[in-house]
Amino acid sequence: MTEITDLTLNEIVTNIKKKKISSTEVTKSFVERSEKSKKLNVYITENFSSAIEQAKKFDENPNYELKLPGIPIAVKDLFCTDGIKTTAGSKILNNFIPTYESTVTQNIWDQGGILLGKLNCDEFAMGSSNETSFFGNVQNPIGENLVPGGSSGGSSAALAANLTPVTIGTDTGGSIRQPASFTGTVGLKPTYGSCSRFGIVAFASSLDQAGPMTKNVKDCATLLEVISSFDKKDSTSIDFKRNNYSSELTKNIKGKKIGIPKEYRVDGMPLEIESLWSKGIEYIKNCGAEIIDISLPHTKYALPTYYIVAPAEASSNLARYDGVKYGFRSLGENLIDMYEKTRSEGFGEEVKRRIMIGTYVLSSGYYDAYYLKAQKVRQLIKKDFDDAYKKVDAILTPSTPSSAFKIAEKTNDPVSMYLNDIFTVPVNLAGLPGISLPAGVDKNGYPLGLQIIGKPFDEQSILNIAYSMEEKINFKNKITNWWM
Ligand code: GLN
């Protein structure tokens, strides 16, 4: 029997609009399933009873014109929610209750969405496995003791476990696409400037973007349509004409040119990923698109460039957490002592590592050698894409160099953890849109994703390509409810 929680967003919306189910029934179903799924540790803050109250209110006075009519949605705990604790997965924000709402979440509530709760994530979104969270690691519903990816690991796990119909994450170097790939779900990082950063706890401001995480491509288009908006409150928000992504969605990609970058065939890439990629190429050809070999020569510098730029911006953004303005405070003998104790006790290991790296690359003796150099290389990476887009409409690559790994497998080796981002960071450095689509499984049956990278502001094309591939791939996520 199909449960409400098994349905896609669009199916639930249709059923609500046809009055076959009520918002209250839907909300109660997700709450009940979430209650039985504590073992996954996806929630940092639950908003269950208030969500049911709001659903009842919706049902008393429904508005079926909205895009998310009475739909309960859990969100990553990096989005500030007015009056509801927002931790960014950190001890230092453990008691932080914002007095404002992020624009992206406000857009969701304006369309009828209801907050189900705040989802676990790596501390300040720094990580690839959700293991840097102060609130503990998250289990991947795909299999016991597997990481759900990160930093949006609570989001990917909650979605794959059917605890929320859709969710949102943020992606600075891959934090939407990599967890989507690890959990057999769809995740899209929009073009930089598409979704407002207002009210999102900042990690690396020139890279951070919010985006949808969903069970299929159609839901992804629907949610992107809701969250993408021009916002005067974010100076990097861009005022461009946004598509009606869901109604313009088409499987017709005949004649589209898809680039295959040779530099993404990295040393030591598992054969399974290689063959997944080849299959993806076949699927695309079957959809009537043309495959073109391309070169992105500076790809090999993307990871080192990212791990200079992102920590530099993080060290500056995180200077605000000093125990004075908000958040956790440790007692000290004097002001300096209080600052030091607050920051040493409030931040976790990974965050401290990034602050150290960031402060180092920005220090006067090393600024030119590291930070300035990285900024120049970033331009070259961007130029590689600009050149490629003279010949192709989009680019197909694997999303990640591996499937979900075991909890604690990589925690002692930051560099091997950073290598997870090898296929995703170039997209953030260039500010481009990218989507990860579940495309197959490895020998253990764990999901693997393919990434489609688009031209700036051309989310519609990557959605269309993913939509047509999705039909051919016909991926079915196997969730056994082992944690219940
Ligand atoms: N894993 C990457 C990092 O730790 C990316 C994180 C993200 O996209 N927020 O920096």
Side-chain angles (χ1 to χ4, degrees), residues 76 125-128 150-151 170-175 203 306-307 354 421:
K76 184 176 186 178
M126 297 175 192
S128 305
S151 62
T170 61
D171 190 313
T172 304
S175 280
F203 165 10
Y306 173 85
Y307 277 98
R354 307 275 178 124
D421 308 325

Side-chain angles (χ1 to χ4, degrees), residues 76 78 122 124-129 150-152 170-178 203 208 306-307 310 350 354 417-418 420-421 424-425 428:
K76 184 176 186 178
L78 208 69
D122 278 300
F124 287 100
M126 297 175 192
S128 305
S129 62
S151 62
S152 311
T170 61
D171 190 313
T172 304
S175 280
I176 287 176
R177 291 159 290 158
Q178 186 256 16
F203 165 10
D208 299 342
Y306 173 85
Y307 277 98
E350 183 60 28
R354 307 275 178 124
M417 192 68 97
Y418 297 169
N420 265 287
D421 308 325
T424 46
V425 291
N428 300 73

Side-chain angles (χ1 to χ4, degrees), residues 229-240:
S229 66
F230 171 61
D231 182 12
K232 287 199 179 113
K233 289 187 272 189
D234 170 7
S235 63
T236 60
S237 170
I238 297 176
D239 192 4
F240 67 99

Side-chain angles (χ1 to χ4, degrees), residues 64-135:
Y64 298 120
E65 299 299 307
L66 300 174
K67 289 182 179 155
L68 303 171
I71 304 289
I73 298 178
V75 304
K76 184 176 186 178
D77 204 18
L78 208 69
F79 294 88
C80 286
T81 38
D82 193 354
I84 292 168
K85 191 168 81 164
T86 300
T87 69
S90 183
K91 179 178 179 183
I92 215 157
L93 287 176
N94 194 10
N95 60 2
F96 173 54
I97 298 179
T99 52
Y100 45 86
E101 187 74 31
S102 89
T103 299
V104 161
T105 46
Q106 189 60 54
N107 288 346
I108 292 178
W109 320 141
D110 288 349
Q111 285 300 326
I114 294 172
L115 177 68
L116 206 47
K118 307 291 297 286
L119 297 168
N120 209 332
C121 58
D122 278 300
E123 187 177 7
F124 287 100
M126 297 175 192
S128 305
S129 62
N130 214 111
E131 290 167 292
T132 73
S133 169
F134 173 66
F135 302 92

Side-chain angles (χ1 to χ4, degrees), residues 248-268:
E248 291 175 47
L249 202 58
T250 166
K251 286 181 188 155
N252 181 2
I253 58 161
K254 277 208 182 63
K256 284 270 181 196
K257 295 188 172 67
I258 314 295
I260 307 297
K262 62 169 187 278
E263 291 79 5
Y264 278 61
R265 213 154 255 125
V266 293
D267 283 349

Side-chain angles (χ1 to χ4, degrees), residues 354-415:
R354 307 275 178 124
I355 294 174
M356 302 261 281
I357 297 172
T359 314
Y360 180 81
V361 300
L362 290 175
S363 62
S364 62
Y366 296 100
Y367 184 87
D368 291 352
Y370 292 104
Y371 186 68
L372 207 61
K373 189 78 163 196
Q375 292 290 28
K376 288 178 184 167
V377 180
R378 182 175 185 179
Q379 285 311 308
L380 294 174
I381 291 166
K382 164 95 173 55
K383 189 173 171 296
D384 282 353
F385 282 105
D386 292 345
D387 291 344
Y389 284 134
K390 288 176 190 149
K391 287 183 277 187
V392 299
D393 301 298
I395 295 170
L396 180 77
T397 75
S399 301
T400 53
S402 77
S403 61
F405 44 90
K406 289 254 180 275
I407 288 170
E409 187 180 318
K410 294 184 198 251
T411 34
N412 292 326
D413 185 357
V415 174

